[in-house]
Amino acid sequence: MGRVTSETTATDAAAHRAPEPAGQPPVWQRRLRRFGYPVRPQADVRARLVPAFPEPGGRMWAAFGVSPRAAARLARWSGWAGPLLVTLFAGVLRFWDLGSPRKVIFDETYYPKDAWSLLQYGYEGTWAKNANDALVGHPPQLLLSPEHSYVVHPPMGKWLIALGEWAFGMNPFGWRFMVALLGTLSVLLVCRIGRRLLRSTALGCLAGTLLAVDGLHFVMSRTALLDLIVMFWVVAAFGCLLVDRDRTRGRLADALPLGPDSLARPDAGVGDRLRLGRRPWRIAAGLCLGLSAATKWNGLYFLAAFALMSVLWDVAARRTAGARRPFRSAVRRDVLPAFGSTVVVALATYLASWSGWIATKGGYYRDWATTPEGVKAGWTWLPDWLRSLWHYQTEVYAFHTGLTTPHTYQSNPWSWLVLGRPVSYFYEDPKAGQDGCTAAEGCAREVLALGTPLLWWAACFALLYVLYRWLFKRDWRAGAVACGVAAGYLPWFLYQERTIFLFYAVVFVPFLCLALAMLIGALIGPPGSTERRRTIGAVGAGVLVLLIVWNFIYFYPLYTGMPIPKSAWHHRMWFDSWV
């Protein structure tokens, strides 16, 4: 496997300086020679544009007695084999007894039923008041009527939930299946993203493992809510942009002239004028961002943040390639294509997600444009369905911004990172001999949307490290991780009066895991560290990871609704605000 470090040559600090002559150190370094400053050899511009992945080593496999040839082959396969093994582990956790509890828990009272209605009518119908009990009764009953109902989230996430219901029926396993699948696949994405971002297979797999054992991600993967679906598309978009970044910078590197030493050197003509051509991975990112916004509107914040980040990456790439006016060049050649690839594609995707509502006539507000109010509103030259859809969106916006109804489990975003107020999705207190309870004192069964505490508290320090790396070391990787956290977290501070919940934070949990993987890589030590330094760092990092895994195991009964003695439940309520 590759070297375990976050201190790779991937940093773009050099990308923010004016180009120096090929093979020459910066002027300030040359001036310091007289004071005994050791001048470091300058990296090839191509290596600065597209840092190579470390060659996988076979020492670990050789330690198990594997032949050198087989060890080399296994090391080459580790880039996919490692992430797939972590994903298998995550999948077993998430799909094990997925239908338990056999109840409609928390906001499953909305989305699975809406999803089934979309399968039947193409829009959200109306369910009877006792529909939840009827769904899990013996036999189950579907108390659905075609009368439209008012819903406040776009349909994309519910269509995905409907796929599981179509395949496995309208039951807890069926309506949770697709969410569990996307939760599992998101672990694979984070493994591969971490590998590409940190240029280390081991750190990538570590980031995926941390996500696999995070309690909030685990609970959300086993509950038919929309937020984990948003998270999946956001992570997929981030991964697509990383691939686009590497390929675009590779295109610039290939166009650079070679110096006498056969090393690529900066060239103003290439940096300023080269057109970067078609960028299918950025279009794929726009599609994923559109799907996230078509699930819940908070995906729009990621659309804005990632589109801007992609353009800034282009500016840095052109500067490294030798552009004299990188901002001007990016504005002239990159901004408009970036807008089309991300914003336009995302908006088209969002509109397409409403196709069921558009193609039918029974949806809420579907015929609003033909009512006296709709005619009076004007813009009659537009299609009726488009004016009706726009009116629907304005009504939904008013609902979301005006939602201030108090809730027992609401929380302020200031408390999210320290897990101040988790959300209880399900709670029962069976007596001895009921529902698997064997304790004479009685039992508690709960599904608590609580992140793994040690992971989240360690991630708070990791975020400080990421900000340090970004602000003081100009490490683009730290900036990318910080962008993902900021886009998923900071917008909620704008809605201090709105009713919001801790589980909304699942959207940026993958970026917390990437941040923690970066910090652990720094603890282990950069290349060139002494053996003693790396051994101490590895032991400390291993202890931290094992404590996080143990913490997940300890809270596992609260994540799955397992019956445990009430005393054991009380022991796990570390703070009064968790009750």
Side-chain angles (χ1 to χ4, degrees):
M1 299 177 75
R3 187 185 295 275
V4 185
T5 175
S6 66
E7 304 284 341
T8 69
T9 57
T11 178
D12 271 352
H16 297 277
R17 297 191 294 267
E20 296 285 343
Q24 291 293 325
V27 174
W28 67 271
Q29 288 188 10
R30 297 199 297 271
R31 288 176 177 172
L32 287 176
R33 284 180 178 178
R34 69 189 70 173
F35 301 105
Y37 178 82
V39 179
R40 297 179 181 178
Q42 294 296 296
D44 180 16
V45 177
R46 181 179 183 85
R48 288 160 53 195
L49 282 169
V50 190
F53 283 92
E55 286 295 325
R59 290 197 309 172
M60 182 186 73
W61 300 107
F64 289 100
V66 179
S67 67
R69 179 177 297 181
R73 187 181 300 114
L74 289 171
R76 286 195 301 271
W77 292 347
S78 65
W80 274 105
L84 287 173
L85 286 174
V86 175
T87 305
L88 177 62
F89 166 69
V92 170
L93 284 177
R94 280 149 180 76
F95 280 96
W96 185 268
D97 202 15
L98 181 61
S100 176
R102 186 175 171 77
K103 301 281 185 179
V104 178
I105 64 174
F106 199 59
D107 278 358
E108 285 187 342
T109 190
Y110 302 117
Y111 311 122
K113 292 188 292 187
D114 287 344
W116 184 262
S117 181
L118 288 174
L119 280 178
Q120 308 307 312
Y121 308 126
Y123 62 89
E124 292 86 348
T126 299
W127 292 79
K129 290 185 178 181
N130 61 332
N132 289 354
D133 293 333
L135 283 173
V136 294
H138 300 283
Q141 294 179 286
L142 304 176
L143 306 181
L144 172 65
S145 70
E147 178 66 23
H148 58 229
S149 63
Y150 179 56
V151 295
V152 294
H153 291 299
M156 188 64 237
K158 290 170 280 190
W159 277 114
L160 288 174
I161 293 173
L163 288 178
E165 295 172 344
W166 171 76
F168 300 102
M170 186 56 174
N171 55 68
F173 181 87
W175 66 61
R176 295 169 188 160
F177 175 82
M178 284 302 298
V179 184
L181 179 62
L182 295 181
T184 301
L185 292 178
S186 66
V187 173
L188 176 62
L189 290 177
V190 168
C191 288
R192 293 291 296 178
I193 286 170
R195 179 179 185 271
R196 181 174 291 272
L197 186 72
L198 305 177
R199 290 301 196 262
S200 168
T201 300
L203 288 181
C205 290
L206 173 62
T209 301
L210 293 173
L211 186 63
V213 297
D214 174 62
L216 182 60
H217 186 275
F218 176 75
V219 170
M220 297 298 287
S221 297
R222 293 170 54 88
T223 312
L225 273 63
L226 301 179
D227 300 84
L228 185 125
I229 300 175
V230 177
M231 180 276 305
F232 174 83
W233 293 120
V234 165
V235 172
F238 186 76
C240 290
L241 289 177
L242 281 179
V243 177
D244 172 74
R245 181 185 185 277
D246 279 355
R247 295 198 172 191
T248 300
R249 293 168 74 91
R251 197 169 298 142
L252 279 168
D254 291 339
L256 291 174
L258 299 179
D261 50 5
S262 298
L263 297 179
R265 59 183 178 86
D267 184 86
V270 172
D272 279 319
R273 293 191 294 272
L274 182 69
R275 295 188 180 277
L276 300 179
R278 290 185 295 179
R279 301 171 68 168
W281 283 100
R282 191 160 66 179
I283 295 174
L287 175 65
C288 292
L289 291 168
L291 291 170
S292 71
T295 301
K296 285 187 78 171
W297 279 3
N298 55 321
L300 293 172
Y301 294 113
F302 287 95
L303 171 61
F306 285 0
L308 177 61
M309 181 178 69
S310 178
V311 172
L312 292 178
W313 284 351
D314 289 346
V315 172
R318 289 187 179 278
R319 179 182 285 117
T320 303
R324 300 188 185 278
R325 298 179 179 85
F327 279 97
R328 180 185 297 180
S329 300
V331 168
R332 292 177 59 186
R333 302 188 184 280
D334 302 324
V335 169
L336 189 59
F339 181 84
S341 299
T342 54
V343 177
V344 174
V345 170
L347 291 179
T349 303
Y350 179 85
L351 187 62
S353 72
W354 286 88
S355 56
W357 182 89
I358 294 169
T360 58
K361 289 295 184 181
Y364 203 86
Y365 281 135
R366 178 60 182 84
D367 296 321
W368 173 87
T370 61
T371 64
E373 181 187 0
V375 173
K376 185 179 178 180
W379 299 82
T380 54
W381 54 274
L382 290 174
D384 288 345
W385 65 266
L386 184 58
R387 293 195 298 125
S388 297
L389 182 60
W390 177 254
H391 178 71
Y392 198 169
Q393 308 306 296
T394 60
E395 291 295 309
V396 169
Y397 177 78
F399 171 85
H400 284 304
T401 56
L403 181 60
T404 58
T405 305
H407 193 284
T408 304
Y409 291 104
Q410 71 183 67
S411 60
N412 190 285
W414 286 108
S415 69
W416 287 0
L417 289 179
V418 294
L419 303 173
R421 182 59 170 165
V423 183
S424 180
Y425 287 176
F426 166 80
Y427 181 85
E428 285 183 348
D429 51 353
K431 306 299 182 184
Q434 299 177 352
D435 295 333
C437 177
T438 59
E441 62 182 301
C443 294
R445 295 184 64 201
E446 184 170 27
V447 175
L448 186 65
L450 171 72
T452 303
L454 292 185
L455 191 158
W456 281 64
W457 297 338
C460 291
F461 294 97
L463 286 179
L464 294 177
Y465 172 73
V466 161
L467 291 176
Y468 160 75
R469 291 288 308 176
W470 178 45
L471 295 174
F472 295 99
K473 298 294 185 179
R474 293 183 291 181
D475 188 337
W476 73 270
R477 302 163 305 160
V481 173
C483 178
V485 175
Y489 185 33
L490 296 185
W492 294 110
F493 288 91
L494 301 174
Y495 305 102
Q496 293 290 314
E497 303 301 324
R498 190 186 185 277
T499 307
I500 54 180
F501 303 91
L502 170 64
F503 67 81
Y504 295 170
V506 72
V507 180
F508 62 83
V509 166
F511 299 97
L512 294 182
C513 295
L514 288 169
L516 189 52
M518 285 190 70
L519 176 61
I520 290 174
L523 290 176
I524 294 174
S529 300
T530 64
E531 193 71 24
R532 183 172 183 272
R533 161 72 177 83
R534 291 181 68 84
T535 300
I536 294 174
V539 170
V543 169
L544 174 61
V545 172
L546 289 175
L547 286 174
I548 289 172
V549 173
W550 165 83
N551 204 211
F552 172 78
I553 295 171
Y554 179 73
F555 283 99
Y556 183 82
L558 298 188
Y559 298 145
T560 57
M562 292 175 57
I564 58 175
K566 281 195 173 181
S567 58
W569 179 86
H570 281 291
H571 290 158
R572 288 165 172 79
M573 296 295 106
W574 285 359
F575 303 98
D576 292 341
S577 62
W578 290 9
V579 179

